[in-house]
Amino acid sequence: MATKIRLQRGGRKGYAFYRIIIADVRAPRDGKFIEKIGTYNPNTNPSTVDLNFDRALYWVETGAQPTDTVHSILKREGVYMMKHLRGGVKKGAFDEATAQSRFDAWKQEKVRKLDKIHEEDVKKKKETKAKSLEAEKKVKEEIAKKVADKKAAIAAEQAAAVAEATEEAPAEA
C-alpha cells in the first residue's frame, strides 16, 4: 500500500488549520487516514508546528512520500536531518551519540537563527511604531498651532470690535 504524508484541512472559512497525517494515496484529502502525526497552524507568525518527531521519522524512513508543503515542514523540524544522520550511523561513518550531538548542534543553531530573526522583527516594529508616533505628534502640533492662530485671530477681532464699540459710545453721549 502506497502511503503519503499530507495535510488534512480543518478550521473555519478563511482560517485554515491542518493536521499532518499518514494516509493511503487513494484516500480523499479530508477522508480516512492511518495515523495523525501532528498539526500545522499557518495563521500564527511564525507558523506553529506540533509534530510527533519519532513517528514522522519512522514514516519517512519507511518510505511514505510527503507532499511539498509537508516536506518543507519536516525539513524545517529536522526529520530529514535525523534521517540523514541515521543513514551515516547505518553505514558506520559515526556512532549514534555523534549523530545525536550533531543533530542537537544543528537544532541549537537553527533556534538561534530564528531567535535573531524574531528580535529583528520586534526591533523593526518598535522603530516603525516610534516613527509613526513622531509623525502623529508633528501633525498634532501643527493642528494645535493652527487652532491657536485661529483663536488668536478671533480674540484680536473681538478686541478690535470692543475697542470700536468703546470709541463710538462716548461720541454718541
Side-chain angles (χ1 to χ4, degrees):
M1 173 174 61
T3 55
K4 274 230 183 253
I5 306 174
R6 62 182 182 202
L7 298 176
Q8 184 180 50
R9 192 182 196 285
R12 66 176 190 267
K13 180 179 177 182
Y15 194 86
F17 183 85
Y18 299 96
R19 292 178 198 89
I20 302 171
I21 61 164
I22 310 299
D24 184 12
V25 175
R26 298 166 292 185
R29 180 192 73 179
D30 296 335
K32 194 173 183 180
F33 60 91
I34 299 168
E35 182 180 356
K36 175 186 165 190
I37 60 170
T39 58
Y40 169 61
N41 186 0
N43 302 308
T44 60
N45 187 15
S47 58
T48 308
V49 176
D50 181 28
L51 185 69
N52 185 340
F53 188 85
D54 295 330
R55 293 305 294 168
L57 184 61
Y58 165 78
W59 282 104
V60 168
E61 287 179 338
T62 303
Q65 293 297 311
T67 59
D68 293 338
T69 306
V70 174
H71 184 273
S72 65
I73 291 170
L74 295 177
K75 189 173 180 180
R76 189 174 3 144
E77 293 297 312
V79 173
Y80 282 98
M81 180 68 168
M82 183 54 87
K83 180 185 176 193
H84 172 72
L85 291 172
R86 280 191 174 181
V89 170
K90 287 178 185 175
K91 290 178 182 176
F94 44 84
D95 62 343
E96 186 69 34
T98 307
Q100 189 62 40
S101 65
R102 287 183 182 182
F103 179 75
D104 292 340
W106 175 83
K107 193 74 167 174
Q108 287 175 352
E109 180 67 21
K110 184 177 172 286
V111 167
R112 188 185 61 77
K113 286 180 182 178
L114 289 175
D115 288 343
K116 185 177 179 181
I117 291 170
H118 179 68
E119 289 173 6
E120 290 174 0
D121 286 344
V122 169
K123 186 177 178 182
K124 285 180 183 178
K125 285 180 182 178
K126 284 183 180 179
E127 290 174 358
T128 304
K129 191 172 185 179
K131 287 180 182 177
S132 65
L133 186 62
E134 284 296 320
E136 189 175 331
K137 283 182 181 179
K138 286 181 183 178
V139 169
K140 284 185 177 182
E141 288 174 0
E142 290 175 9
I143 291 172
K145 184 178 178 184
K146 286 180 183 178
V147 168
D149 290 344
K150 283 184 179 180
K151 285 183 178 180
I154 291 172
E157 287 178 13
Q158 288 177 350
V162 169
E164 278 185 28
T166 54
E167 288 177 8
E168 290 179 7
E172 290 177 6

